[in-house]
Amino acid sequence: MNKNNLGNADISSQDRLPFSQACENNKAPILNVLQKELQEHTHVLEVGSGTGQHSVYFAPRLPHLQWQTSDVTDNHQVIQAWHEIYPAPNLHAPFVFNLTTDSIPKLQDAPPYDAIFTANTLHIIAWPLVERLFELAGEALPLDGKLIVYGPFNENGRYTSASNQQFDSTLRQRDVGSGIRHKEDIIALANAHHLTLMTEYQMPANNQILVFQKITAN
Ligand SMILES: C[S@@+](CC[C@H](N)C(=O)[O-])C[C@H]1O[C@@H](n2cnc3c(N)ncnc32)[C@H](O)[C@@H]1O
């Protein structure tokens, strides 16, 4: 039934669109953070837009900025279907962006992205692709640009909850390259690419948001 790579997304029998209950649960708390962190930012690239549910919720509630979705090609049809039902003037159809092969895509006739947002991707993609994401973000973001990541992280070498430990085990059984990342590794990786951890938020269901900012030029 679920032919895309959308993690826990299911086909909703009600509307026939792939639907992620997790997105529905976390979208409001994430929006609260984005409204605070993106007040001065104008062009956001979302990496791994998934079903597109986050984008249709965030874009109309952040009307001062442009929200550019992206994902691997397989997910575009689903994202576009969500966009057709919930269009917004500042919500943009997905770019093909595959970390295995692509560089940060550019909005035509627009300034470069000054923020990159990604939710629930770092524990899905293999570590070399996590490294690639931070490398590309460090290259593409201007000074003061932000990379905002949402998801579960380990701290001090430990899981932060029994449910995250169980989730990690499930992830690794499904794909040996997946797994919950250590926050310290992510911070070190960011630092290697001119990105500094500015703020961290504890989020519901043992998730976190890490806000990195480019405060030195590369
Ligand atoms: C668990 S889903 C998260 C989707 C959505 N952001 C959310 O929070 O529900 C993981 C996402 O990572 C994307 N992804 C996997 N491999 C990728 C790659 N090589 N390049 C870019 N995105 C990738 C998947 O297509 C999917 O959208």
Side-chain angles (χ1 to χ4, degrees):
M1 178 166 77
N2 185 5
K3 288 191 181 153
N4 48 41
N5 52 354
L6 296 175
N8 58 1
D10 279 322
I11 307 292
S12 159
S13 57
Q14 193 181 352
D15 54 20
R16 299 286 164 200
L17 281 182
F19 171 87
S20 161
Q21 185 59 49
C23 276
E24 291 305 300
N25 298 345
N26 62 34
K27 66 185 185 180
I30 295 176
L31 177 68
N32 286 339
V33 173
L34 296 182
Q35 284 174 325
K36 195 166 149 190
E37 293 291 340
L38 295 177
Q39 289 177 37
E40 311 294 333
H41 294 73
T42 57
H43 288 81
V44 179
L45 173 66
E46 180 184 18
V47 175
S49 297
T51 59
Q53 278 167 267
H54 276 155
S55 66
V56 301
Y57 185 73
F58 296 154
R61 291 167 178 82
L62 296 164
H64 66 287
L65 54 74
Q66 301 300 309
W67 191 276
Q68 176 62 58
T69 53
S70 79
D71 211 320
V72 298
T73 313
D74 284 355
N75 291 346
H76 284 209
Q77 207 180 343
V78 173
I79 297 167
Q80 280 161 349
W82 275 88
H83 287 192
E84 276 169 30
I85 296 176
Y86 301 104
N90 62 334
L91 175 60
H92 299 279
F95 276 115
V96 177
F97 183 41
N98 188 332
L99 281 158
T100 311
T101 48
D102 297 331
S103 295
I104 299 278
K106 288 193 168 45
L107 263 183
Q108 276 192 340
D109 304 323
Y113 303 105
D114 53 10
I116 297 173
F117 169 77
T118 193
N120 290 317
T121 50
L122 302 191
H123 58 269
I124 299 292
I125 59 178
W127 180 252
L129 297 190
V130 178
E131 292 179 316
R132 181 81 178 129
L133 173 60
F134 278 77
E135 179 190 354
L136 290 172
E139 280 170 14
L141 287 171
L143 269 183
D144 295 329
K146 286 182 176 175
L147 170 62
I148 301 178
V149 300
Y150 168 90
F153 296 96
N154 296 332
E155 287 182 310
N156 303 314
R158 292 164 182 253
Y159 297 106
T160 61
S161 67
S163 60
N164 276 1
Q165 183 169 9
Q166 177 58 48
F167 182 46
D168 186 57
S169 166
T170 306
L171 287 169
R172 290 175 190 278
Q173 279 167 24
R174 200 167 59 198
D175 184 335
V176 71
S178 295
I180 295 180
R181 310 302 174 192
H182 294 281
K183 187 153 74 177
E184 297 81 0
D185 292 344
I186 295 294
I187 293 170
L189 177 60
N191 291 344
H193 296 289
H194 302 273
L195 297 164
T196 301
L197 181 66
M198 304 302 285
T199 321
E200 43 193 300
Y201 296 85
Q202 295 299 323
M203 303 298 287
N206 304 302
N207 289 295
Q208 300 180 42
I209 288 181
L210 307 180
V211 180
F212 298 96
Q213 191 160 23
K214 188 162 169 180
I215 55 174
T216 57
N218 39 358

